[in-house]
Amino acid sequence: MLQRVAQQYGNITSMLVTLDKHNKSYNFIASAFACGTAGYFLTSAHTIKPHDNLGIMISREINTFQTTKAESLEGFAVTLVGFDPINDVALLKANEKLDFNMPSPSAFLGDETAIKVGTSIGYLGYPYGSQGLETVKISSSIISSKILTSNGTRALQLDSSVNDGNSGGPLIDIASGKIIGIITGRYSPSGPTPVAFIGGVPLGQDSNISYAVGISYAVDLMKDEGIYV
């Protein structure tokens, strides 16, 4: 079942980057994934600044052996067309015409409100992409809790340690094969500031509790853009 998820979403999960003014070099910032045939992508709002020069680097073929640092990637500039910082979702559109072989969004985007605690899930992204690991990774976990954030946002708690760089990637219900959320990050017992560093590695920020926001907030942005059918 997890294999099916990997084959279905591995090649549409991409790197979100900032581009230099000539679009010749990039810096990794987060994960993202295609959500429609016309070059639209979803990611986490907290990873970007609205005036960043943003780009998407398309995933390489997941079933072949690849170097961890990509020697060449297909990339293109994108524009921010939907931004919801309260619920931590953002919608991007490619500046050039793209044609992904994907079904309509309503066929592969699910409903987080119907998911039960204990559901097996998979998630994809580019953990430690900022440190040169430019290969998509699939992981598995379960929904350990359903929570409301201080803003009232519906979020799914995962029994898993989501790594830096996974934010913005899709969360998938393995049974249905539908995307039910967007990975946002990991709970840090010490808060945003590490308690100490050893060899440059921050301490006090690891846990096996991570979060994803419900996909319905992304669907709202897609409806505003007129692309949810």
Side-chain angles (χ1 to χ4, degrees):
M1 298 288 279
L2 194 61
Q3 181 183 29
R4 183 187 69 177
V5 168
Q7 302 308 309
Q8 185 174 357
Y9 296 108
N11 288 324
I12 67 166
T13 303
S14 305
M15 294 196 302
L16 178 63
V17 301
T18 54
L19 300 168
D20 70 5
K21 62 181 179 179
H22 301 295
N23 291 356
K24 298 297 184 182
S25 63
Y26 63 88
N27 290 306
F28 174 89
I29 55 175
S31 300
F33 60 96
C35 62
T37 58
Y40 284 90
F41 293 81
L42 289 167
T43 190
S44 296
H46 79 266
T47 65
I48 59 179
K49 298 176 182 177
H51 300 296
D52 281 344
N53 187 26
L54 298 170
I56 288 286
M57 311 301 286
I58 292 293
S59 173
R60 296 173 290 171
E61 169 55 48
I62 64 169
N63 293 312
T64 61
F65 289 98
Q66 303 281 357
T67 57
T68 55
K69 178 69 174 178
E71 297 177 358
S72 62
L73 284 171
E74 180 184 1
F76 46 86
V78 293
T79 298
L80 182 65
V81 295
F83 192 63
D84 180 0
I86 300 298
N87 296 308
D88 200 12
V89 292
L91 180 65
L92 310 166
K93 183 181 181 182
N95 293 353
E96 58 188 80
K97 182 176 175 58
L98 298 176
D99 187 16
F100 289 99
N101 184 22
M102 295 179 65
S104 62
S106 59
F108 66 88
L109 298 181
D111 178 8
E112 76 275 3
T113 64
I115 293 298
K116 297 184 181 301
V117 170
T119 295
S120 296
I121 53 89
Y123 59 95
L124 296 98
Y126 288 82
Y128 301 114
S130 60
Q131 299 179 36
L133 293 182
E134 297 180 346
T135 51
V136 67
K137 178 179 182 288
I138 184 167
S139 303
S140 61
S141 185
I142 64 167
I143 301 298
S144 59
S145 185
K146 299 170 73 171
I147 65 171
L148 290 174
T149 70
S150 58
N151 294 324
T153 301
R154 293 183 299 278
L156 301 170
Q157 182 175 292
L158 316 180
D159 183 29
S160 182
S161 181
V162 167
N163 299 120
D164 294 341
N166 269 120
S167 290
L171 177 77
I172 302 104
D173 171 20
I174 292 177
S176 69
K178 291 189 175 185
I179 297 174
I180 56 171
I182 300 175
I183 297 293
T184 56
R186 180 182 67 243
Y187 172 72
S188 172
S190 65
T193 304
V195 296
F197 287 87
I198 293 181
V201 177
L203 301 181
Q205 293 188 301
D206 289 332
S207 74
N208 285 330
I209 300 174
S210 300
Y211 300 102
V213 297
I215 195 64
S216 60
Y217 301 108
V219 169
D220 289 341
L221 291 183
M222 296 172 70
K223 287 180 177 177
D224 289 345
E225 184 70 8
I227 61 169
Y228 185 81
V229 294

